[in-house]
Amino acid sequence: MTAFVRNLVDTYSSRPRSSGCPVTGHGAVQTVDATVSFGPVARDVPSPRHSPVPSEPSPSVRPANDPPAVSLPDAVEFLEQFYREVGAAVPFEQRLGQVRDEIAATGTYRHSRAELTFGARVAWRNSARCIGRLYWQSLRIRDRRHLGSPAEVAAECAWHLRDATRDGQIRSTLTVFAPDRPGRPGPRIHNEQLIRYAGYPDPDQGESGEHDPVLGDPRNVAFTNLARAMGWEADGGPGRFDVLPLVVTGAGHRAATDLFDLPRDAVLEVDLSHPEYPWFADLRLRWHAVPAISNMPLVIGGITYPAAPFNGWYLNTEVGARNLADVGRYNLIPQIAEQLGLDTSSTRTMWRDRALVELVHAVQHSFDEAGVRMADHHTESDRFLEHVAREKAAGRSCPTEWSWIVPPMSGGLTSVFHRLYDQPDPDLRPAFLPAK
């Protein structure tokens, strides 16, 4: 069983995974001290759901080589930016000398609390795929750099969700765990997001392929297979919206990979209904409130934090026009069109477009009725252009991927559609890096 599980981890980790919008939320601008949380040790540390996978981990679970020493030029570039934009009580030359000595002695250095906060916020500011960057200064940081075991990481991920959700008044939050150090990799969270729904291939349809029937979310079939091989099964049997467990590898070369269920009180979900069509509620659809990306390493001043989950809040079209509508996801458009009585005999009847509008309408209505924060694509487009203008006034570029900023519905009706942007720079730091 152990060899089988390792093989599944290798297979899952080697699959190409897109890097989503890092932190889609926004909120009131706050000061550094007011939005940084430090300590305590993980509370209510859970027990894993299975016997841990002993570590002789493969390169897909652990880096093939030791994490390299921090590059002094990378550290200097970050410190120069920090002192230029924020400043500190410690003179620059003094701080630079401290960092230089630490790198010479240990191969790395430790960020101050202010440096960590600034670096994480600028990583959001630099995220070319994120439309919600206007309020990048509001990102709340939970400093858990002293934690690296799977159980501690899992416990703090649950607390991250509780702290960020706030009964629907969602706030942008990032939790930082132990960094990579020369000779000691930091912990890894293998989930794409802290909350994802399982996907189960229909056993009566043979081997699963891209278009085979799937119960749940087809995007997560491989990860669901991994979790089940490690001993996980959903309570009550497979369903369409089973929350997947966390799979976490601890810090160090010989750390175990463990699996943990998320506590029920850490996951807020919204039942979907439509303001004009009572039958919509009978579809028994729902979606989780907090999009928390968990597999993108955060790099600040040459230091890599491999486990740094972060969230904003959803844009209506992320859920309605992508997660529930994409052919490779829940693919609900044909079902919605049938319920609406639309003529689906030809694409020229615009049945897909009409069904999509009603699906997004239902999602926005349901989140609003539940009191769960969700942005709409028109308002967020206008706010993004305000962010672009602010960055220009500050003398900074605003790297942007047009295809990610323009909403997947009614793009031409939004203000972000009708212009060009600064090209993304893959070498720009600080940054959230694409998941490997």
Side-chain angles (χ1 to χ4, degrees), residues 28 60 88 91 145 148 218 229 231 416 418:
S60 62
R145 287 177 289 176
V416 293
H418 303 279

Side-chain angles (χ1 to χ4, degrees), residues 319-340:
V319 178
R322 296 301 310 275
N323 297 342
L324 294 175
D326 281 359
V327 172
R329 301 295 297 281
Y330 279 82
N331 192 26
L332 291 174
I333 295 301
Q335 185 178 6
I336 301 299
E338 181 181 1
Q339 292 287 339
L340 289 169

Side-chain angles (χ1 to χ4, degrees), residues 8-9 11-13 15 17 189-200 217-230 232 243-248 257-260 294-295:
L8 278 173
V9 173
T11 301
Y12 172 75
S13 299
R15 287 164 57 93
R17 286 170 281 169
I189 302 168
H190 297 285
N191 305 61
E192 180 182 50
Q193 293 192 20
L194 294 183
I195 306 172
R196 279 296 201 194
Y197 295 122
Y200 309 93
D217 193 341
R219 181 181 181 90
N220 302 319
V221 168
F223 194 89
T224 303
N225 289 341
L226 169 64
R228 298 181 86 181
M230 296 176 71
W232 175 79
V243 176
L244 284 162
L246 299 179
V247 177
V248 183
T257 297
D258 292 340
L259 177 151
F260 305 87
S294 52
N295 66 348

Side-chain angles (χ1 to χ4, degrees), residues 131-299:
I131 195 173
R133 286 178 272 167
L134 175 61
Y135 298 102
W136 59 273
Q137 295 180 79
S138 71
L139 181 64
R140 178 174 180 266
I141 313 301
R142 303 175 71 250
D143 184 358
R144 301 297 184 266
R145 287 177 289 176
H146 57 296
L147 302 180
S149 75
E152 292 170 334
V153 170
E156 282 299 331
C157 284
W159 278 105
H160 173 117
L161 290 171
R162 295 184 184 104
D163 291 347
T165 302
R166 300 194 301 171
D167 294 324
Q169 297 305 304
I170 299 165
R171 61 183 170 191
S172 299
T173 302
L174 179 143
T175 299
V176 182
F177 294 104
D180 282 344
R181 300 177 61 88
R184 184 176 174 79
R188 264 70 175 167
I189 302 168
H190 297 285
N191 305 61
E192 180 182 50
Q193 293 192 20
L194 294 183
I195 306 172
R196 279 296 201 194
Y197 295 122
Y200 309 93
D202 188 335
D204 297 328
Q205 300 295 325
E207 294 186 4
S208 178
E210 183 179 356
H211 299 296
D212 288 343
V214 170
L215 177 65
D217 193 341
R219 181 181 181 90
N220 302 319
V221 168
F223 194 89
T224 303
N225 289 341
L226 169 64
R228 298 181 86 181
M230 296 176 71
W232 175 79
E233 291 294 339
D235 293 338
R240 296 179 76 190
F241 298 99
D242 295 336
V243 176
L244 284 162
L246 299 179
V247 177
V248 183
T249 298
H253 279 298
R254 302 190 63 81
T257 297
D258 292 340
L259 177 151
F260 305 87
D261 283 318
L262 281 169
R264 291 182 182 275
D265 71 316
V267 181
L268 177 62
E269 295 177 286
V270 176
D271 294 326
L272 302 186
S273 62
H274 194 286
E276 300 170 20
Y277 302 113
W279 53 259
F280 199 100
D282 296 333
L283 299 178
R284 301 174 67 86
L285 303 174
R286 63 177 182 266
W287 205 257
H288 57 91
V290 178
I293 297 175
S294 52
N295 66 348
M296 294 180 69
L298 170 63
V299 179

Side-chain angles (χ1 to χ4, degrees), residues 47-64:
S47 299
R49 275 282 298 270
H50 72 110
S51 297
V53 179
S55 182
E56 290 173 2
S58 67
S60 62
V61 178
R62 277 282 157 232

